[in-house]
Amino acid sequence: MKNKEKHIGFILFVVFAVLPFTLAFGYALLYSFGVIGIVNEGFTLKFWKEVFTSSTLGVSFIYSSVIALIGVILSVSLALWIVLKYRESFGNKYLSFIIYMPLAVPGIVSAFFTYQLFAQSGFFARLSYQLNWIETAQQFPDLVNDNWAIGIIITFISLLTPFFILLYLNIYKDERIEELSQLSRALGANKKQIALKVSLPIMLKKSWVLIVLYFIFLLGAYEVPLILGQESPQMLSVLILRELKQFDLTKISEGYVMAVLYTVVIMSATVFIFSRKKLRNNAY
Amino acid sequence: MFLEIQYINKSFGKEQIVKDLNFSLAPHKTLSILGKSGCGKTSMLKIIGGLLKADSGNIILDGNDISELEAEKRNIVYLYQEDLLFPHLNVFENIAFGLRIKKQKEAHIQSKVKEMLELLELEDQGQKMPHQLSGGQRQRVSFGRAIIINPALLLLDEPFGSLDAGTRQRMQQLFKDIAHKFKITSLFVTHDLKEAILMGDEIAFMQSGKLKLYKNKEEFIADPSTGVQNEIGFWENLIPKGQNII
């Protein structure tokens, strides 16, 4: 009976997860080599050469990685600080509501919200004007569609921080960090040493896989950089979609090359993370 | 006396948890404290360890009033019922924790921890993580981690409560050996009658926040409130008089 259930589970996994992914990936791969596609004329490496000789993808990859990294680092740091400093306040239902509410807000809504607040025609710009801090909208700092991706990073932080707060509150409780902290005090550790040698290492060790997965998630984010990003460089998903929707049909294959490369990098990273985790678990 | 506890009181709201706690203990001795769950023994240990603030009273350790001193400066280690090993550190680093906090030299840490691992019969386990150890091994690591920093006073809160009978017996003997070797002064709290009699040089009984110290074990056994007489009665009733069970 158990074997049968296992087989059904495996078949469903193959049908609904592996098969669509493989077909889509195969389609993209064939398109990238010019084997299929309305204006393509057969197998060629020229689209791959085009992508590798142009710096667009590389720049976009580095740009996306930096933004995702900053977003994750700031979100995790903020969540850790809030949990270590104010965990007892989460008993207050209004405060916990304020913290957890953003979990229910979709990325696209958050992005619009950031736009409405931080754009040069947004709420804070108008407020600054009313307070006579600025005389024209242009004097307000460029926080949306800007060179430094500040709007994107603010939105990422607002989306990720509540999730990490929830995660770290649970880890704090499950790993009995309160008791371990008291024990550390008895062994002579001061507050700073407890934070650096006990609380933070335990919480980070327990959450590193999720941190990496969220980095990958941000790397491939679409709606937020689409609304709040600049024209160039663009984040990966926005760039790939732009290439795939080109009017010039001969350029579409380059979009598929980028999609294939992006998929290979992400899949390799994911497999590497989970194989390491599995190895570690087996070693235990 | 090495440890003097003077008129400690502690209340949570209207409930008084510790009432007029008064006792003293000579150096290198173990005081067993018997008490049921909720009698205030954990609060008493936490107050002495500096993890809980008393409403009134003084704690004198080796002639110094430490009542207002922070926990990390008291040189008193409080051991929980569970071993509470640091899950992110291996056995070696768990034992070395207190020495690293005190920024001791690496060579000194290496030699002290290796010596401790041998003493605890854990010399081959140094690189293992806590979850790879048995309950008894974990408790031994916990002892080693506390003892290696040479605490002035060790507070043990039902340390063997979660162990099976056999392991518990071995751990009791191990603790007695270590306490003797390192000349440890300790308060050993337990709800196990036999353990209380076995482990302490002196013995006390705690009930509803009040601690009663006995002059000797005979006085403790004779006091009906400790439950020893009930225990003796139980076994006598179980085995008819004159019958040899062996």
Side-chain angles (χ1 to χ4, degrees):
Chain A
M1 190 67 185
K2 252 190 177 171
N3 263 347
K4 202 178 168 188
E5 277 175 13
K6 236 180 179 179
H7 282 123
I8 292 171
F10 181 72
I11 290 165
L12 288 174
F13 175 68
V14 169
V15 170
F16 290 107
V18 179
L19 198 63
F21 173 79
T22 312
L23 289 174
F25 187 72
Y27 181 82
L29 203 61
L30 292 173
Y31 218 120
S32 71
F33 285 113
V35 179
I36 54 175
I38 197 150
V39 293
N40 287 336
E41 293 164 349
F43 182 83
T44 175
L45 292 173
K46 73 173 179 185
F47 304 119
W48 284 79
K49 279 180 192 161
E50 285 280 344
V51 169
F52 278 111
T53 49
S54 148
S55 61
T56 314
L57 181 68
V59 170
S60 172
F61 195 85
I62 293 168
Y63 179 69
S64 303
S65 302
V66 171
I67 292 173
L69 196 66
I70 292 172
V72 166
I73 289 174
L74 290 180
S75 305
V76 168
S77 307
L78 186 62
L80 282 169
W81 180 73
I82 290 172
V83 168
L84 289 179
K85 191 97 180 160
Y86 301 107
R87 66 190 165 277
E88 277 153 24
S89 309
F90 283 87
N92 182 319
K93 62 179 179 180
Y94 297 110
L95 183 70
S96 56
F97 177 74
I98 290 169
I99 292 289
Y100 299 143
M101 193 184 63
L103 283 171
V105 178
I108 195 163
V109 177
S110 268
F112 277 120
F113 197 59
T114 304
Y115 195 93
Q116 296 293 340
L117 287 176
F118 296 101
Q120 285 181 328
S121 57
F123 174 79
F124 287 119
R126 287 164 196 269
L127 189 69
S128 304
Y129 179 78
Q130 292 298 328
L131 293 170
N132 290 326
W133 291 346
I134 57 172
E135 286 170 6
T136 61
Q138 281 70 34
Q139 285 179 322
F140 190 76
D142 203 6
L143 299 176
V144 167
N145 308 122
D146 59 310
N147 292 335
W148 299 98
I150 292 171
I152 298 176
I153 292 169
I154 289 173
T155 312
F156 283 167
I157 291 171
S158 73
L159 289 170
L160 258 62
T161 306
F163 168 78
F164 279 110
I165 288 175
L166 197 63
L167 176 74
Y168 288 131
L169 280 173
N170 281 322
I171 292 178
Y172 195 90
K173 197 175 151 200
D174 292 346
E175 295 298 311
R176 307 185 62 186
I177 293 177
E178 186 67 46
E179 285 97 328
L180 287 171
S181 301
Q182 286 199 345
L183 178 82
S184 306
R185 281 185 73 196
L187 292 169
N190 57 34
K191 279 182 184 171
K192 191 178 162 194
Q193 286 172 319
I194 293 169
L196 293 177
K197 290 181 183 289
V198 181
S199 313
L200 290 177
I202 293 174
M203 293 204 274
L204 287 172
K205 196 177 177 186
K206 276 275 157 188
S207 61
W208 77 269
V209 172
L210 271 172
I211 293 173
V212 176
L213 288 177
Y214 262 91
F215 167 75
I216 292 172
F217 166 71
L218 293 189
L219 198 63
Y222 180 66
E223 307 101 317
V224 176
L226 182 72
I227 295 163
L228 301 170
Q230 59 180 351
E231 269 301 306
S232 178
Q234 286 178 316
M235 280 189 76
L236 275 168
S237 299
V238 180
L239 173 73
I240 292 170
L241 257 292
R242 190 191 70 186
E243 293 292 317
L244 293 178
K245 288 177 179 172
Q246 292 241 23
F247 285 113
D248 182 356
L249 296 179
T250 59
K251 289 280 181 187
I252 289 179
S253 289
E254 285 176 28
Y256 278 109
V257 173
M258 291 177 184
V260 167
L261 280 172
Y262 171 69
T263 311
V264 168
V265 169
I266 296 305
M267 287 302 291
S268 309
T270 312
V271 169
F272 177 71
I273 292 161
F274 281 101
S275 60
R276 265 181 66 95
K277 192 173 158 66
K278 203 175 172 188
L279 265 179
R280 238 171 36 147
N281 289 344
N282 287 344
Y284 293 166
Chain B
M1 282 291 186
F2 183 71
L3 173 70
E4 288 176 47
I5 304 295
Q6 301 168 343
Y7 304 104
I8 296 275
N9 283 285
K10 177 70 185 172
S11 299
F12 289 116
K14 287 179 182 171
E15 193 181 359
Q16 195 169 5
I17 303 296
V18 178
K19 296 172 190 166
D20 278 333
L21 189 68
N22 253 311
F23 69 88
S24 55
L25 184 65
H28 320 316
K29 296 286 180 193
T30 295
L31 170 66
S32 281
I33 300 167
L34 180 74
K36 290 175 189 160
S37 299
C39 71
K41 51 193 196 300
T42 296
S43 299
M44 173 190 70
L45 290 188
K46 285 191 169 178
I47 289 168
I48 297 170
L51 301 171
L52 197 63
K53 199 163 168 48
D55 297 335
S56 61
N58 294 313
I59 303 163
I60 314 292
L61 185 69
D62 202 12
N64 301 310
D65 188 343
I66 58 162
S67 315
E68 298 300 320
L69 212 59
E70 288 165 354
E72 58 267 31
K73 291 176 184 162
R74 290 191 181 194
N75 200 20
I76 295 176
V77 177
Y78 170 77
L79 287 181
Y80 287 76
Q81 182 174 356
E82 299 90 354
D83 43 72
L84 272 185
L85 300 184
F86 297 115
H88 61 302
L89 300 177
N90 63 22
V91 169
F92 188 97
E93 288 303 324
N94 258 285
I95 294 176
F97 184 85
L99 300 176
R100 294 209 186 279
I101 288 294
K102 289 181 165 57
K103 296 189 170 72
Q104 306 259 317
K105 285 186 177 158
E106 186 58 34
H108 176 70
I109 293 173
Q110 291 288 335
S111 81
K112 286 271 280 183
V113 176
K114 277 178 189 157
E115 193 186 321
M116 185 57 73
L117 283 168
E118 274 176 37
L119 183 75
L120 299 167
E121 296 169 9
L122 291 168
E123 51 270 61
D124 301 330
Q125 316 290 327
Q127 297 311 309
K128 283 191 175 172
M129 296 305 282
H131 65 268
Q132 294 173 291
L133 303 177
S134 68
Q137 286 175 324
R138 290 168 65 97
Q139 200 57 267
R140 273 186 272 164
V141 176
S142 174
F143 272 151
R145 182 179 59 185
I147 290 159
I148 203 165
I149 62 167
N150 198 19
L153 180 68
L154 198 57
L155 308 172
L156 301 113
D157 193 355
E158 300 186 28
F160 310 134
S162 56
L163 301 177
D164 63 79
T167 312
R168 188 174 188 144
Q169 208 173 355
R170 283 194 296 279
M171 288 302 297
Q172 287 166 346
Q173 191 52 51
L174 179 76
F175 174 72
K176 289 190 88 154
D177 294 344
I178 289 177
H180 180 71
K181 183 177 163 69
F182 287 90
K183 295 180 176 159
I184 290 168
T185 310
S186 61
L187 302 183
F188 192 107
V189 157
T190 178
H191 61 254
D192 186 278
L193 203 54
K194 192 175 146 197
E195 193 167 72
I197 296 169
L198 276 173
M199 300 307 291
D201 300 302
E202 294 182 36
I203 196 159
F205 180 63
M206 194 163 193
Q207 197 170 27
S208 307
K210 290 207 82 135
L211 189 80
K212 184 177 177 185
L213 235 76
Y214 296 90
K215 283 178 194 151
N216 50 48
K217 284 178 183 169
E218 288 71 29
E219 194 184 67
F220 173 79
I221 291 166
D223 185 346
S225 63
T226 61
V228 181
Q229 292 302 322
N230 277 346
E231 191 82 3
I232 293 170
F234 171 79
W235 290 107
E236 278 179 351
N237 287 335
L238 206 66
I239 306 158
K241 274 180 189 166
Q243 187 181 325
N244 192 347
I245 57 164
I246 302 169

